[in-house]
Amino acid sequence: MNHPLSEMLGDTMSKIREMIDVNTVAGTPITTPDGVTIVPITKVSIGYGGGGSDYAGKNPAGRDDAVFGGGAGVGVNITPVAFLVIRGENVRMLPIAEPASTSVDRLIELLPDILDKADDFLASRKAAKQAQDAPAE
């Protein structure tokens, strides 16, 4: 026979497992009509505590059914932290954060966009040069 405290803690953990699953951390993908998929990402924090006593010294012998008192508590905090944006072959993470407080922070936030634009610019220049250097037919 399980002790009531074990059963209480086990039941509480089972309920937590039902509430929090992988879809809580990486949410259900949302697809727009133009083919962009957005996946919300969250941070889940859980605080849990439980305890009990069986009051063995205060109950008469043979009264095993009246020798337990206990409790358990759970706190869950779910915080959105980012979105994954999937467009074709490109995947980008858009963090949900406080605005950049310094120029360096802002530059770090903008760096992926700057690199993408520079890459596109260089690719278009290379294509233009190849078209220019191609022999005329």
Side-chain angles (χ1 to χ4, degrees):
M1 177 177 142
N2 280 344
H3 192 278
L5 180 59
S6 295
E7 291 177 19
M8 180 184 64
L9 296 175
D11 289 345
T12 304
M13 290 303 293
S14 175
K15 294 295 181 187
I16 291 172
R17 278 190 211 100
E18 287 177 20
M19 288 186 333
I20 308 298
D21 64 4
V22 71
N23 291 323
T24 306
V25 176
T28 304
I30 302 162
T31 304
T32 64
D34 59 343
V36 176
T37 302
I38 300 169
V39 181
I41 306 294
T42 60
K43 176 175 83 170
V44 179
S45 303
I46 300 174
Y48 174 75
S53 176
D54 60 14
Y55 300 109
K58 296 183 180 181
N59 291 301
R63 293 274 328 258
D64 288 338
D65 61 337
V67 295
F68 177 74
V74 177
V76 178
N77 183 21
I78 300 173
T79 307
V81 293
F83 291 98
L84 282 180
V85 180
I86 305 164
R87 180 179 289 139
E89 298 280 323
N90 296 325
V91 178
R92 173 163 294 167
M93 180 177 277
L94 299 176
I96 300 172
E98 295 178 25
S101 58
T102 67
S103 298
V104 174
D105 289 342
R106 183 71 180 134
L107 180 62
I108 290 170
E109 284 180 2
L110 291 173
L111 194 57
D113 287 331
I114 293 169
L115 292 175
D116 284 346
K117 288 177 182 176
D119 193 36
D120 291 343
F121 175 74
L122 293 174
S124 67
R125 295 230 2 206
K126 183 177 180 182
K129 181 160 176 49
Q130 286 176 346
Q132 184 181 25
D133 292 344
E137 292 181 25

